[in-house]
């Protein structure tokens, strides 16, 4: 668990450092591209997740006939995606809480 957290933090730091120092001078409105919202704040490129308003978030049911690794991969994949695509820790916390709530709504156990 501690090792996973360190790995996720390392991925997040590398991604932030790669995009944060581009030195852009032009300001622009946030842009929704694929599954991220890209904005320029104080000369820094910032990212957060973009979700379509009508997205239903119908994850695989926990008792489906898929192998257990598929369910584990779904959860870990989404957690990694949140850590990799969000620039701010507050956004990461918000999206992780929302993802956890959606899993509970789908019938997963805490």
């Amino acid at each position: 668990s501690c090792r996973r957290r360190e790995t996720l933090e390392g991925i997040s730091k590398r991604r932030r450092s790669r995009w944060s120092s581009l030195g852009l001078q032009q300001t622009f409105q946030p842009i929704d591209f694929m599954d991220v919202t890209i904005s320029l704040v104080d000369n820094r490129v910032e990212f957060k997740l973009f979700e379509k308003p009508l997205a239903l978030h119908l994850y695989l049911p926990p008792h489906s006939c898929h192998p257990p690794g598929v369910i584990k991969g779904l959860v870990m994949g989404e957690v990694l995606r949140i850590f990799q695509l969000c620039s701010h820790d507050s956004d990461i916390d918000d999206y992780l809480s929302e993802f956890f709530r959606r899993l509970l709504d789908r019938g997963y156990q805490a």
Side-chain angles (χ1 to χ4, degrees):
S1 176
C2 184
R3 185 174 175 168
R4 266 192 207 147
R5 180 175 296 235
E6 290 172 0
T7 301
L8 294 174
E9 289 172 357
I11 290 169
S12 183
K13 286 178 186 176
R14 280 194 303 272
R15 192 223 7 96
R16 284 184 202 152
S17 66
R18 181 176 43 205
W19 290 101
S20 63
S21 60
L22 291 177
L24 300 174
Q25 300 299 323
Q26 183 180 356
T27 60
F28 61 91
Q29 295 295 321
I31 298 169
D32 296 327
F33 178 73
M34 303 284 283
D35 61 344
V36 294
T37 297
I38 306 167
S39 57
L40 185 65
V41 179
D42 296 329
N43 248 7
R44 292 187 56 211
V45 179
E46 295 185 349
F47 301 89
K48 67 179 186 176
L49 292 183
F50 169 73
E51 297 171 341
K52 291 183 178 180
L54 297 178
L56 298 177
H57 306 287
L58 298 176
Y59 305 114
L60 287 174
H63 303 293
S64 70
C65 293
H66 291 80
V70 172
I71 303 297
K72 182 179 177 183
L74 169 111
V75 173
M76 284 305 301
E78 185 67 13
V79 169
L80 278 172
R81 178 176 164 267
I82 291 168
F83 270 90
Q84 289 175 336
L85 295 180
C86 292
S87 297
H88 295 287
D89 291 340
S90 60
D91 290 335
I92 291 171
D93 292 341
D94 294 343
Y95 285 113
L96 286 175
S97 297
E98 187 64 20
F99 178 56
F100 183 70
R101 186 195 59 77
R102 290 174 182 153
L103 287 177
L104 292 177
D105 289 347
R106 266 317 259 176
Y108 287 78
Q109 295 180 356

